[in-house]
């Protein structure tokens, strides 16, 4: 047996034999050996501990005490409160780790206006009182808090960790004095979150006036702590490797984790020597951040557990000879609590936001019963306002059997500076800068200004004013100016270039009864000016002004901003356009959908329609056909043609595609589309329409700075194979 030395094995058998003999004369047997289980930290590699727990459960071995650090604290505490190994395995295999360890709010929790801005910027810098207000770590991870709150809900009444089904301690580090913090009581969620707060990766956890970070900084393998609890026989599972060589420090997370572990590595051998059974799990192929390989890591732990099962079984059988009532059951240890009745509440940490506004943002009502999923929904709703850095809650049992909920809140910085980089075959390279501030021009509002700094200049200013506490009514005035060069085409061949200068002033009133959709009406003033940059026999030249009265409907329940795999998005607008030429009605419709076919394959579709009824102004205020990414007004994206290859007053198109998640963040996307244009001319319908067809194959990679997309396009009309490149997000 490699994992358990022969020395430990024989020592254990001798010890057990002596114990059994000494207790044969005792009528009432009290278990003389107290088994402690210690689980090390190790990030994703800590999931291998589950296999050890499964072997322990299968053998019927009773664990008396548990200590853990970081991921070991997560796995160990779940086992301690009453989840059996099978349940923990199910949790780990079905967990969305990317979502859990990201700083991304669930897209469906955001209002539509916030969805349009969310996730577009690589850098977001908070300002408060004209000073930088940087977080203590890269990730607050709202979803992590929410998930932990759900998992530990059954023991919300237990504040002393000795009162769990199995007594437990978690290890954190007080970053102010570099001392270990042995967490024995309080909120188990706070204790676990502090134990896994890798410095520089996760924000520090403030608890009882202390700033806590990952316990692995000081004590990654806390054997001494389980001994202090009363264990006289220790089983230790260690997934942490020694320090990595320079050539393997290839990822920021690996560097930060190594820095965090420098102090602890020196004391690790002292902890190992105190174990009776030392289990070293060799997981050199993985890193602390290898959550995408979670199933493989769990399987590796299962193999190690199967190897150890015979030993655990002999140990359990020997101990059970002492008393028949000491047999270990792995079922029924977790308290079953489905709802709590909230009769009182307290809010800590609010500054500028009123308590009533906070409660309303969560849709919280006092004197109501709640299940864990209800608390999760409330928190996501509040996060969706983007007015809070974090929202934590704890539940305090009251004497009458009801419960008081205590919210701990930190408001977001009122102002953010944001930066992103964008490259596109049409627009070229640009830097996108944004400033967003809340409640600056007026209370209960959000204002922003965005600039596209490149040869093709764009700037937009927008003010969103909420009306009423519920924020269901919104006034949105905005101004936008853009200037860019576009090619002219004749028979799909580039023949020249023109410059477009465009200005729009928009004022709309909208009603947002739910977060997924809004409806409303507005008035828009637009001016367009075309002038040739490179002369050709086909030129666009002139100037037009438009006033448009319009009504609109907008729906968006996509599940994520980049490469969504579920949901639909709809925008429909009808309007009446007034200008010097005869007035005309106008209709715009966009419908896109995403549907999973399998775990890694998604079906995607896009329907587009744009019609200027009876418009005789030809190119002015028309629809521009071409390109793979939506970047400018009146665009009809079309796989197979470059941007603004065709201009038309009436367009309808349909696209269908398949997106394959090849591995991790690498995607392969195939799209095919058909289009008909110029089927409405003047007052007559269906006048010699032009049909187009095309397709594109895209290799895409999702990065922290945005998606990188390399596409090959072909149209049966142009008979040309064309390249199309996009990096990041457009304005």
């Amino acid at each position: 047996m490699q994992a358990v030395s022969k020395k430990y094995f024989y020592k254990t058998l001798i010890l057990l034999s002596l114990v059994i003999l000494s207790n044969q004369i005792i009528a009432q047997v009290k278990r003389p050996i107290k088994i402690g289980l210690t689980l090390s930290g190790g990030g994703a590699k800590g999931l291998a501990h589950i296999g050890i727990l499964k072997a322990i459960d299968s053998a019927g071995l009773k664990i008396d005490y548990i200590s853990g650090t970081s991921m070991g604290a997560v796995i160990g505490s779940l086992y301690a409160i009453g989840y059996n190994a099978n349940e923990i395995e199910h949790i780990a295999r079905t967990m969305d780790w990317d979502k859990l360890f990201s700083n991304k709010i669930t897209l469906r929790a955001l209002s539509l206006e916030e969805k349009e801005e969310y996730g577009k910027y690589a850098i977001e810098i908070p300002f408060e009182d004209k000073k930088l207000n940087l977080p203590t770590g890269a990730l607050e991870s709202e979803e992590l808090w929410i998930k932990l709150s759900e998992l530990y809900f059954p023991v919300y009444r237990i504040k002393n960790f000795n009162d769990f089904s199995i007594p437990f301690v978690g290890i954190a580090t007080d970053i102010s004095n570099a001392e270990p913090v042995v967490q024995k009581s309080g909120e188990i969620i706070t204790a676990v979150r502090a134990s896994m707060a890798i410095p520089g990766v996760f924000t520090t956890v403030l608890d009882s006036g202390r700033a806590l970070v990952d316990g692995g900084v000081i004590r990654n393998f806390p054997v001494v702590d389980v001994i202090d609890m009363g264990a006289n026989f220790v089983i230790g599972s260690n997934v942490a490797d020694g320090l990595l060589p320079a050539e393997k420090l290839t990822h920021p997370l690996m560097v930060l984790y190594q820095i965090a572990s420098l102090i602890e590595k020196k004391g690790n051998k002292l902890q190992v020597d105190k174990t009776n059974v030392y289990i070293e799990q060799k997981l050199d192929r993985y890193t602390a951040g290898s959550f995408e390989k979670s199933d493989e890591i769990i399987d590796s732990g299962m193999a190690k557990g199967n190897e150890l099962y015979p030993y655990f079984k002999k140990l359990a059988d020997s101990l059970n000879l002492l008393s028949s009532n000491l047999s270990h059951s792995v079922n029924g240890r977790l308290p079953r609590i489905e709802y709590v009745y909230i009769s009182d509440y307290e809010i800590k940490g609010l500054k500028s936001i009123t308590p009533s506004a906070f409660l309303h943002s969560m849709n919280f009502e006092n004197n109501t019963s709640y299940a864990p999923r209800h608390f999760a929904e409330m928190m996501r709703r509040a996060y969706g306002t983007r007015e809070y850095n974090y929202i934590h809650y704890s539940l305090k049992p009251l004497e009458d059997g009801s419960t008081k909920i205590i919210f701990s809140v930190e408001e977001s910085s009122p102002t953010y500076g944001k930066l992103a980089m964008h490259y596109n075959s049409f627009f070229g390279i640009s830097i996108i800068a944004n400033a967003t501030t809340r409640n600056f021009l007026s209370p209960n509002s959000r204002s922003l200004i965005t600039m596209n700094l490149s040869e093709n200049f764009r700037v937009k200013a927008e003010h969103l004013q909420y009306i009423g506490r519920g924020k269901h009514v919104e006034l949105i005035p905005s101004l936008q100016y853009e200037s860019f060069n576009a090619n002219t085409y004749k028979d799909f061949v580039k023949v020249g270039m023109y410059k477009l200068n465009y200005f729009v002033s928009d004022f709309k009133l909208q009603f947002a009864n739910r977060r997924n959709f809004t409806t409303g009406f507005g008035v828009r003033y637009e001016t367009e000016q075309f002038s040739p940059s490179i002369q050709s026999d086909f030129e666009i030249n002139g100037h037009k002004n438009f006033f448009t009265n319009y009504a609109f409907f907008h729906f968006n329940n996509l599940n994520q901003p980049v490469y969504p795999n579920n949901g639909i998005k709809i925008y429909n607008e009808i309007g009446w356009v007034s200008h010097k030429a005869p007035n005309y009605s106008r209709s715009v419709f966009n419908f896109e959908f995403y549907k999973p076919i399998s775990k890694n394959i998604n079906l995607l579709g896009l329907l587009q329609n744009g019609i200027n009824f009876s418009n005789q102004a030809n190119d002015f205020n028309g629809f521009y056909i071409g390109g793979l990414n939506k970047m400018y007004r009146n665009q009809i994206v079309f796989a197979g043609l470059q941007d603004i290859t065709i201009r038309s007053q009436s367009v309808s198109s349909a696209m269908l595609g398949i997106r394959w998640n090849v591995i991790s963040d690498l995607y392969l996307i195939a799209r095919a589309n058909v289009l008909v244009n110029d089927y409405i001319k003047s007052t007559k319908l269906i006048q010699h329409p032009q049909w187009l067809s095309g397709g594109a194959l895209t290799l895409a990679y999702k990065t922290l700075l945005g998606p990188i997309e390399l596409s090959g396009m072909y149209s049966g009309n142009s008979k040309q194979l064309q390249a199309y490149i996009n990096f990041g997000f457009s304005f």
Side-chain angles (χ1 to χ4, degrees), residues 261-279:
S261 303
L262 287 175
I263 301 174
E264 190 278 333
K265 296 296 182 185
K266 296 181 179 180
N268 188 59
K269 187 177 184 304
L270 297 175
Q271 301 290 325
V272 172
D273 291 342
K274 295 180 181 294
T275 62
N276 299 90
V277 179
Y278 178 59
I279 306 167

Side-chain angles (χ1 to χ4, degrees), residues 56-57 60-63 79 166 320 326-330 333:
I56 289 172
D57 276 356
L61 181 64
K62 182 180 184 299
I63 301 298
Y79 193 71
I166 303 173
N320 289 338
L326 291 179
S327 60
H328 178 51
S329 173
V330 300
R333 294 191 294 116

Side-chain angles (χ1 to χ4, degrees), residues 405-709:
I405 189 167
I406 302 170
F407 297 103
S408 298
V409 182
E410 182 180 275
E411 297 177 16
S412 299
S413 297
T415 303
Y416 276 83
K418 307 176 185 181
L419 287 172
M421 185 180 347
H422 180 239
Y423 175 82
N424 183 271
S425 295
F426 177 74
F427 268 107
I429 191 168
S430 59
I431 300 296
I432 301 174
N434 170 279
T436 299
T437 185
R438 300 181 185 276
N439 308 318
F440 178 70
L441 296 178
S442 61
N444 210 20
S445 69
R446 183 208 69 183
S447 306
L448 61 83
I449 182 168
T450 309
M451 300 179 70
N452 187 95
L453 305 173
S454 71
E455 182 181 356
N456 299 303
F457 178 75
R458 309 172 96 179
V459 61
K460 177 182 180 181
E462 179 184 273
H463 180 75
L464 187 154
Q465 182 66 58
Y466 296 105
I467 299 176
R469 188 182 68 168
K471 299 184 177 182
H472 297 316
V473 182
E474 303 163 355
L475 287 174
I476 308 177
S478 66
L479 299 171
Q480 182 171 331
Y481 170 80
E482 57 189 63
S483 176
F484 60 85
N485 291 306
N487 296 317
T488 56
Y489 293 84
K490 187 175 182 180
D491 297 327
F492 305 102
V493 177
K494 184 169 62 176
V495 295
M497 180 180 290
Y498 67 91
K499 178 175 283 291
L500 170 63
N501 291 299
Y502 172 74
F503 171 81
V504 58
S505 174
D506 194 296
F507 183 90
K508 62 183 178 183
L509 174 67
Q510 65 180 32
F511 306 90
N513 294 323
R514 298 184 180 179
R515 298 192 177 250
N516 290 334
F517 77 87
T518 61
T519 186
F521 54 88
V523 60
R524 180 188 301 133
Y525 169 76
E526 302 167 272
T527 179
E528 288 183 334
Q529 183 176 5
F530 296 87
S531 59
S533 295
I534 299 177
Q535 299 287 338
S536 71
D537 58 350
F538 176 68
E539 294 181 353
I540 302 176
N541 196 3
H543 177 269
K544 288 288 184 179
N545 299 321
F546 310 94
F547 280 98
T548 305
N549 298 296
Y550 64 95
F552 66 93
F553 169 82
H554 192 184
F555 179 88
N556 183 347
N557 73 341
L558 302 182
N559 65 334
Q560 55 194 39
V562 184
Y563 304 135
N565 54 37
N566 200 0
I568 62 175
K569 183 178 180 180
I570 303 171
Y571 182 79
N572 186 30
E573 178 185 307
I574 56 174
W576 181 257
V577 182
S578 304
H579 66 139
K580 291 182 179 180
N583 301 333
Y584 56 91
S585 56
R586 175 179 173 87
S587 173
V588 177
F589 177 76
N590 282 272
F591 174 88
E592 58 183 290
F593 72 89
Y594 304 86
K595 184 175 179 61
I597 299 177
S598 66
K599 181 179 180 181
N600 297 317
I601 298 177
N602 283 270
L603 181 69
L604 46 139
L606 176 64
L607 300 176
Q608 302 170 97
N609 179 265
I611 303 175
N612 289 330
F613 295 94
S614 305
N615 183 19
Q616 301 177 22
N618 296 323
D619 296 303
F620 294 97
N621 205 30
F623 299 95
Y624 309 129
I625 301 170
L628 291 177
N629 299 87
K630 188 85 171 180
M631 294 187 296
Y632 44 87
R633 60 180 287 271
N634 293 348
Q635 182 182 3
I636 304 293
V637 298
F638 187 79
L641 298 178
Q642 297 289 348
D643 297 73
I644 315 185
T645 298
I646 299 173
R647 302 161 190 80
S648 177
Q649 299 298 319
S650 54
V651 184
S652 295
S653 72
M655 184 274 289
L656 195 65
I658 294 288
R659 185 177 64 227
W660 174 32
N661 187 187
V662 181
I663 185 174
S664 187
D665 293 320
L666 182 67
Y667 298 84
L668 188 64
I669 309 169
R671 286 169 280 195
N673 48 205
V674 294
L675 179 148
V676 59
N677 69 296
D678 281 344
Y679 56 89
I680 296 179
K681 296 182 179 180
S682 186
T683 59
K684 299 179 180 180
L685 300 179
I686 318 300
Q687 291 288 302
H688 306 290
Q690 181 181 9
W691 287 89
L692 304 175
S693 62
L697 186 65
T698 301
L699 184 66
Y701 187 74
K702 186 166 62 174
T703 75
L704 294 175
L705 300 178
I708 300 174
E709 299 172 328

Side-chain angles (χ1 to χ4, degrees), residues 98-299:
D98 286 341
K99 178 181 177 181
L100 207 64
F101 293 123
S102 74
N103 236 18
K104 301 296 185 182
I105 303 168
T106 302
L107 191 65
R108 288 172 173 169
L110 296 173
S111 66
L112 281 179
E113 278 61 47
E114 297 291 351
K115 289 179 183 180
E116 297 303 314
E117 290 291 312
Y118 185 65
K120 288 186 175 182
Y121 299 94
I123 300 174
E124 297 190 7
I125 304 173
F127 292 87
E128 190 167 5
D129 297 327
K130 300 180 181 180
K131 299 179 181 179
L132 286 176
N133 185 29
L134 297 175
T136 57
L139 302 176
E140 176 63 47
S141 188
E142 297 90 349
E143 284 296 324
L144 176 60
W145 278 103
I146 291 172
K147 190 61 182 180
L148 291 177
S149 299
E150 291 179 337
L151 291 173
Y152 293 106
F153 175 79
V155 294
Y156 80 92
R157 293 179 175 274
I158 303 175
K159 308 302 180 183
N160 187 331
F161 304 167
N162 280 326
D163 295 334
F164 290 157
S165 177
I166 303 173
F168 169 80
V169 297
I171 309 301
T173 301
D174 188 338
I175 198 64
S176 65
N177 57 21
E179 292 291 331
V181 177
V182 182
Q183 302 175 105
K184 303 177 180 179
S185 61
E187 296 294 333
I188 183 61
I189 303 167
T190 303
V192 169
R193 173 62 174 79
S195 184
M196 61 187 300
I198 301 172
V201 178
F202 292 101
T203 55
T204 59
V205 175
L206 300 178
D207 185 34
S208 302
R210 300 172 299 187
L212 305 182
V213 299
D214 195 314
V217 174
I218 298 295
R219 194 177 295 157
N220 196 53
F221 191 43
V223 176
V224 65
D225 301 286
V226 82
I227 294 174
D228 290 343
M229 295 175 74
N232 52 23
F233 188 92
V234 179
I235 300 171
S237 176
N238 192 357
V239 300
D241 300 319
L243 296 176
L244 295 173
E247 61 269 17
K248 290 191 176 183
L249 296 172
T250 57
H251 191 278
L253 179 60
M254 297 164 67
V255 175
L256 289 168
Y257 194 81
Q258 179 124 319
I259 293 172
S261 303
L262 287 175
I263 301 174
E264 190 278 333
K265 296 296 182 185
K266 296 181 179 180
N268 188 59
K269 187 177 184 304
L270 297 175
Q271 301 290 325
V272 172
D273 291 342
K274 295 180 181 294
T275 62
N276 299 90
V277 179
Y278 178 59
I279 306 167
E280 184 177 18
Q281 302 206 51
K282 294 292 186 180
L283 299 164
D284 299 340
R285 295 183 298 159
Y286 310 104
T287 70
S290 298
F291 287 98
E292 76 282 358
K293 298 179 180 178
S294 58
D295 284 343
E296 292 181 20
I297 296 172
I298 295 171
D299 291 340

